[in-house]
Amino acid sequence: MIIQYGQALSNYLYDVFVAKFDFWLAFGLVAQLFFTARFLVQWIASERAGNSVVPMAFWFCSMGGGLMTLVYGVVKREPVIILGQALATIIYVRNIMLIIKNRGRSSKTLER
């Protein structure tokens, strides 16, 4: 029984990541990696600062990865991805606008 589940999982992963591999799958994977990089950026910045901070690079990774994922969702006609990323991207852009607007004032965002 466990062997059957292992084989089924292996077949599924092969089908998803090898048999159906094309430009858009590669694009979507890169988009997801770019989006996920924001957590690494935030973690490193927080470790350097000694407390939890959200650097400007976090928002640029969010926006870039989110836009790329949105493009992927539109091309693949995935409504869940389209709705989620379209709304989230608005928030990322707004946060960047607020940071730039308040740059001269005391900001909670690191400038690195």
Side-chain angles (χ1 to χ4, degrees), residues 1-100:
M1 183 165 146
I2 292 176
I3 293 173
Q4 288 174 324
Y5 286 132
Q7 289 173 337
L9 177 61
S10 175
N11 291 339
Y12 174 79
L13 293 174
Y14 177 83
D15 185 50
V16 170
F17 291 104
V18 178
K20 293 183 179 176
F21 192 84
D22 64 359
F23 170 80
W24 287 109
L25 176 59
F27 183 88
L29 291 171
V30 169
Q32 190 60 47
L33 287 172
F34 188 27
F35 188 75
T36 303
R38 69 195 190 129
F39 294 113
L40 184 61
V41 166
Q42 193 270 335
W43 178 37
I44 291 169
S46 293
E47 288 294 332
R48 286 182 178 167
N51 63 340
S52 184
V53 295
V54 180
M56 185 71 151
F58 174 90
W59 295 111
F60 283 115
C61 286
S62 298
M63 184 179 64
L67 285 172
M68 287 176 70
T69 305
L70 177 60
V71 168
Y72 174 81
V74 168
V75 168
K76 291 297 189 174
R77 299 175 184 241
E78 293 285 344
V80 173
I81 293 174
I82 293 169
L83 288 174
Q85 290 304 322
L87 296 173
T89 300
I90 292 168
I91 294 167
Y92 306 144
V93 170
R94 181 62 180 149
N95 272 296
I96 291 170
M97 290 170 59
L98 289 170
I99 291 166
I100 291 170

